[in-house]
């Protein structure tokens, strides 16, 4: 499912961004080079889909705000997933 507003957001560079609930689709790799924030309520759903690779840099954080819950964030990655040391 493609959300045209979230298609290739930031060219796949999501570090420093705050995402709101929705579907984010990428035809590129997803790179998280600095902290990323998911902002929404307890029942908000976030779906991130990529045909490429997901890379989270070392010592970066995925921040949940406004009641957003990790169990409602779904990552669909066709390639590999790489998480750097001390990333949370």
């Amino acid at each position: 499912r493609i959300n045209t507003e979230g298609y290739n957001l930031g060219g796949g560079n999501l570090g420093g961004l705050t995402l709101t609930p929705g579907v984010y689709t990428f035809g590129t790799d997803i790179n998280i080079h600095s902290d990323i924030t998911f902002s929404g309520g307890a029942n908000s759903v976030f779906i991130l889909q990529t045909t490429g690779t997901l890379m989270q840099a070392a010592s970066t954080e995925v921040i949940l705000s406004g009641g957003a819950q990790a169990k409602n964030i779904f990552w669909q990655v066709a390639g590999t997933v790489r998480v750097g040391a001390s990333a949370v």
Side-chain angles (χ1 to χ4, degrees), residues 17-71:
L17 297 182
T18 297
L19 302 184
T20 56
V23 178
Y24 298 86
T25 303
F26 299 87
T28 62
D29 291 341
I30 295 175
N31 297 295
I32 302 171
H33 292 293
S34 60
D35 296 349
I36 182 174
T37 302
F38 290 88
S39 179
N43 296 316
S44 297
V45 175
F46 305 81
I47 300 170
L48 292 92
Q49 305 168 321
T50 181
T51 58
T53 296
L54 169 63
M55 294 173 280
Q56 182 178 357
S59 301
T60 58
E61 294 184 10
V62 175
I63 300 166
L64 306 178
S65 71
Q69 297 188 50
K71 69 178 184 177

Side-chain angles (χ1 to χ4, degrees), residues 1-12 14 23-28 49-51:
R1 181 172 133 180
I2 295 178
N3 172 358
T4 55
E5 293 179 21
Y7 186 73
N8 282 340
L9 179 68
L14 301 185
V23 178
Y24 298 86
T25 303
F26 299 87
T28 62
Q49 305 168 321
T50 181
T51 58

